[in-house]
Amino acid sequence: QLLDPSPERFEHLVSQLKYRLQEGLGEAVYEIGREDDGTPRGLSEVELEASLQTLGRMAKALNADSQVVSIKQGEKGKCAAVLIRKLAHDRYLDIRVAVAGNVDSGKSTLIGVLTRGVLDNGRGLARLNVFTHKHEIESGRTSSISQQVMGFDAHGNTITQQGPSKTLSWEEVLEQSAKTITFFDLAGHEKYLKTTVFGMTGHLPDYVMVMIGANMGITRITREHLGIAIALGVPIFCVVTKVDIAPEHVLK
């Protein structure tokens, strides 16, 4: 809890937050209402509101913004998770994600939906914004490495290229973002494996997102891509797509 700290205590708390922001590359999460050992003790409504106000003052002193991510019930009151993020001016945090997986697993479609903020129409509309060559549009398969970007402002709202009133350029997305995610759409076909290897090595991704089509399961190419990412020591996470059209025996 951060209830009515003295000026000296407040300065100490601001210094502590500054260190945590530096350590978290511009971000920090505070758990209000939890004991040092992680026990969710909880605070009353008045105590929680006062603590959130103090945390907001601390963030403002460091040109940062605070946003309540979640509020949950503890043992004796409520606990809150608060995200503190430095405001974007001339800097932003960029996370690079290489998107791998077997052909037809939905890599380009997912990237198109995330970066444009518009759902696919079921006939390949979203992936048209990702493809760079005519033969890719005609075949529906990626043969090169394309790059797409989406951002988040200091309040955690998404900034996509499909803005509320106009289509935003990459420069405009970056200007409005405190954090960006750069996606590298890699080829899924076996004959473009060298291109995929180059994408995982030459673009220095922070993570590899392995797409798995539920209607196909884990294929040999999926294992190849997983093996490359593991050999390079890049953190991996998986996304399962096409669950709605997967045969029951394959989904199991």
Side-chain angles (χ1 to χ4, degrees), residues 12-226:
H12 175 74
L13 291 171
V14 170
S15 298
Q16 187 181 61
L17 175 58
K18 182 178 180 180
Y19 172 77
R20 293 187 62 179
L21 287 172
Q22 291 173 343
E23 191 177 43
L25 300 177
E27 290 185 349
V29 175
Y30 270 68
E31 296 282 352
I32 305 297
R34 289 184 179 269
E35 301 288 350
D36 292 338
D37 60 359
T39 303
R41 187 72 59 190
L43 301 175
S44 67
E45 293 281 357
V46 175
E47 291 174 332
L48 182 61
E49 182 62 29
S51 296
L52 291 176
Q53 289 181 2
T54 300
L55 194 54
R57 288 170 50 212
M58 292 163 52
K60 188 175 181 180
L62 296 174
N63 193 31
D65 182 76
S66 63
Q67 182 179 21
V68 178
V69 178
S70 66
I71 296 180
K72 298 181 180 180
Q73 186 63 40
E75 295 177 356
K76 296 183 178 180
K78 293 184 177 180
C79 301
V82 184
L83 172 65
I84 310 295
R85 178 178 288 163
K86 291 283 287 185
L87 295 175
H89 290 295
D90 58 345
R91 62 182 296 275
Y92 59 88
L93 175 64
D94 182 37
I95 297 176
R96 303 161 70 85
V97 179
V99 184
N102 191 53
V103 64
D104 295 334
S105 59
K107 299 185 294 296
S108 301
T109 297
L110 179 61
I111 293 173
V113 170
L114 291 176
T115 58
R116 291 305 193 281
V118 179
L119 294 177
D120 185 51
N121 64 353
R123 297 187 297 274
L125 175 65
R127 68 189 182 193
L128 292 180
N129 296 312
V130 179
F131 290 153
T132 55
H133 299 292
K134 181 180 178 181
H135 69 268
E136 293 179 333
I137 297 174
E138 293 173 348
S139 66
R141 295 180 174 180
T142 302
S143 62
S144 60
I145 302 170
S146 68
Q147 181 175 337
Q148 302 294 324
V149 64
M150 69 178 294
F152 296 90
D153 63 17
H155 303 281
N157 301 312
T158 56
I159 307 295
T160 62
Q161 289 181 262
Q162 190 65 45
S165 59
K166 68 170 185 174
T167 301
L168 303 179
S169 66
W170 281 17
E171 182 179 1
E172 290 172 317
V173 171
L174 298 179
E175 286 177 349
Q176 299 178 33
S177 300
K179 173 190 283 186
T180 61
I181 300 178
T182 302
F183 294 100
F184 298 100
D185 187 21
L186 305 181
H189 200 283
E190 184 176 2
K191 68 179 180 179
Y192 302 124
L193 184 59
K194 288 184 178 179
T195 303
T196 299
V197 172
F198 173 72
M200 287 195 193
T201 55
H203 290 80
L204 301 175
D206 298 301
Y207 300 93
V208 172
M209 179 168 68
V210 179
M211 303 281 291
I212 301 173
N215 58 326
M216 297 176 288
I218 298 177
T219 65
R220 186 170 66 84
I221 288 299
T222 306
R223 293 188 179 93
E224 290 278 1
H225 290 180
L226 281 169

